[in-house]
């Protein structure tokens, strides 16, 4: 085993396992650490073990898990731009699953997971919206149609399902149909993400057992006891910046208020922006992170929200000075502006890896 290729079997025995030392590292549950020897594999980064060969690369800077935006619409944005903007993975929350299936595993794009089509009532939101392309919406006419609608998304590769609870914008799913969609998703072992809009809909989603909300609730200030109960069972995708973008609206104030109490009660906050909906920066959105800081998340909390999903071989590299445990959200935002998505092959194709601060350590032993 030579040339920095690491691993002697099992999951690491791919051509793309690379040993390296880095100046600093951040890891979920472990926080910040100093100089570390790692192995980059198809499964991601791991700490080097005794049996691994000595690394022959040194990456000047910090590595951390791949960053994920858990709410995007790839039909409405340039997926390659999202990757260039620092995203290793994205969750598409409403699009034609046949189109999305073709994007998965494409080099140069983020890793893609998807819900497939929005499941909504006949004529319900967003079936009437010009931005919803053909195949992006399934109108579910009654509980007996729910099984086939869910099955179609799962057969097309959906990792989770997306339902719409938005009665103010047209016909809505009745409780029986909504329940049948949830039951069928459960039978497939798929979580369900809900678009929740309008008074009473957050409570309805919670009582039905929805796993994840596509947006931190923004229609009404939720009572503390409901927020506390939701924090025990649900994950909330943030999407704070989409309420007005650079000119925040009342909805953003409501969403930040709800999210502040949800996070304080121990709820799982997931970074997501609704890419494709309005003028969002392609990639990591500084305004989203700063709004999450307003909701009380620390820099460490922001990194946890950004690393909600394992991203396979892809990881994040930030050249230059490391950040530390005392960093503020503002510090983190400035630092992440230098972030790049890497895979092990990027490290082995020197010097084509332009922009990487790589060194070959001087060997003290042959
Ligand atoms: Zn959306």
């Amino acid at each position: 085993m030579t040339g920095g290729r690491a691993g002697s079997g099992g999951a690491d025995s791919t051509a793309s396992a690379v040993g390296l030392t880095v100046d600093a590292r951040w890891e979920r549950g472990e926080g910040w650490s100093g100089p570390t020897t790692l192995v980059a594999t198809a499964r991601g980064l791991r700490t080097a073990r005794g049996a691994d060969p000595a690394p022959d690369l040194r990456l000047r800077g910090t590595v951390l898990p791949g960053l994920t935006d858990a709410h995007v619409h790839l039909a409405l944005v340039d997926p390659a731009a999202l990757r260039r903007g620092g995203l290793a993975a994205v969750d598409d929350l409403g699009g034609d699953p046949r189109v999305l299936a073709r994007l998965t595993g494409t080099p140069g794009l983020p890793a893609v997971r998807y819900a497939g089509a929005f499941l909504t009532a006949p004529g319900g939101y967003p079936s009437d919206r010009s931005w919803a392309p053909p195949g992006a919406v399934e109108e579910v006419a009654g509980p007996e149609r729910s099984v086939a609608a869910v099955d179609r998304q799962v057969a097309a590769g959906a990792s989770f399902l997306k339902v719409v609870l938005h009665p103010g914008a047209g016909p809505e799913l009745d409780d029986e149909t909504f329940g049948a969609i949830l039951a069928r998703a459960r039978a497939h072992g798929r979580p369900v993400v809900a678009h929740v809009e309008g008074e009473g809909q957050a409570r309805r989603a919670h009582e039905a057992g929805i796993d994840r909300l596509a947006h931190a609730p923004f229609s009404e200030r939720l009572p503390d006891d409901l927020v506390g109960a939701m924090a025990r069972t649900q994950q909330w995708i943030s999407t704070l910046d989409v309420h007005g973008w650079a000119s925040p609206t009342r909805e953003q104030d409501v969403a930040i208020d709800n999210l502040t109490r949800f996070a304080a009660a121990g709820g799982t906050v997931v970074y997501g922006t609704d890419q494709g909906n309005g003028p969002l920066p392609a990639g990591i959105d500084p305004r989203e992170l700063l709004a999450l800081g307003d909701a009380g998340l620390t820099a460490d909390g922001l990194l946890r929200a950004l690393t909600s999903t394992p991203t396979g071989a892809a990881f994040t590299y930030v050249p230059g000075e490391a950040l530390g445990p005392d960093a503020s959200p503002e510090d983190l935002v400035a630092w992440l502006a230098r972030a790049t998505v890497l895979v092990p092959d990027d490290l082995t194709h020197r010097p084509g890896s332009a922009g990487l601060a790589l060194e070959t350590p001087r060997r003290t032993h042959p």
Side-chain angles (χ1 to χ4, degrees):
M1 197 70 63
T2 57
R5 305 264 165 179
S8 55
D12 291 353
S13 63
T14 66
S16 58
V18 181
L20 68 155
T21 59
V22 297
D23 297 337
R25 182 189 191 194
W26 181 90
E27 195 58 37
R28 285 177 74 89
E30 293 168 30
W32 298 93
S33 51
T36 310
T37 303
L38 301 171
V39 179
T41 77
R43 284 186 166 188
L45 292 172
R46 66 165 173 79
T47 305
R49 298 189 278 256
D52 290 322
D56 72 352
L57 286 180
R58 179 175 177 192
L59 195 53
R60 303 300 302 264
T62 305
V63 297
L64 57 155
L67 308 181
T68 296
D69 187 327
H71 188 155
V72 307
H73 299 279
L74 290 175
L76 307 176
V77 289
D78 173 6
L82 297 183
R83 164 99 177 218
R84 288 194 300 273
L87 292 170
V90 295
D91 288 349
D92 189 288
L93 293 191
D96 184 338
R98 291 161 301 181
V99 175
L100 294 164
R102 289 198 288 272
L103 297 178
T104 60
T106 305
L109 301 188
V112 178
R113 303 191 310 169
Y114 52 92
F118 289 89
L119 303 181
T120 193
Y125 178 87
S127 63
D128 57 342
R129 302 300 159 112
S130 59
W131 53 257
V137 180
E138 275 241 12
E139 299 176 48
V140 186
E144 57 289 337
R145 303 284 181 88
S146 300
V147 168
V150 171
D151 287 359
R152 269 193 291 278
Q153 312 316 312
V154 172
S159 296
F160 36 80
L161 281 300
K162 171 82 176 281
V163 296
V164 177
L165 301 179
H166 185 6
E172 62 170 318
L173 291 169
D174 59 74
D175 285 341
E176 218 183 334
T177 307
F178 178 36
I181 290 171
L182 281 169
R184 190 62 181 174
R186 296 266 178 276
H188 283 292
R190 297 296 194 279
V192 179
V193 184
H195 174 100
V196 165
E197 187 166 353
E199 280 195 22
Q201 297 304 310
R203 182 179 293 279
R204 184 182 178 205
H206 170 64
E207 289 175 352
I210 286 287
D211 303 284
R212 196 178 255 207
L213 299 188
H215 307 276
F218 56 88
S219 300
E220 59 186 331
R221 185 181 194 277
L222 302 178
D224 287 343
D225 60 341
L226 177 59
V227 170
M230 293 171 96
R232 287 192 287 279
T233 59
Q234 277 187 343
Q235 302 181 344
W236 288 4
I237 302 170
S238 53
T239 76
L240 298 171
D241 186 32
V242 81
H243 303 297
W245 304 285
S247 307
T249 60
R250 192 194 73 87
E251 280 79 10
Q252 190 189 83
D253 293 341
V254 173
I256 289 177
D257 179 348
N258 288 327
L259 193 67
T260 300
R261 290 175 293 128
F262 179 80
T268 300
V269 179
V270 178
Y271 172 89
T273 61
D274 207 1
Q275 289 277 347
N277 179 1
L280 295 164
I284 300 298
D285 177 4
R287 292 192 306 256
E288 186 69 34
L289 292 171
L290 293 173
L292 279 165
D294 291 343
L297 270 70
T298 61
D300 201 68
L302 292 173
L303 285 173
R304 275 184 271 120
L306 279 160
T307 53
S308 58
T309 307
T311 55
F315 62 95
T316 302
Y317 164 56
V318 184
E321 284 287 302
L323 223 52
D326 298 331
S328 68
E330 289 77 11
D331 296 335
L332 181 76
V333 166
W335 186 72
L336 284 179
R338 307 199 298 269
T340 310
V341 182
L342 295 183
V343 293
D345 281 355
D346 295 327
L347 303 172
T348 53
H349 293 151
R350 292 169 289 156
S353 314
L356 291 186
L358 289 170
E359 287 174 9
T360 304
R362 191 146 41 97
R363 301 285 183 169
T364 51
H365 302 288

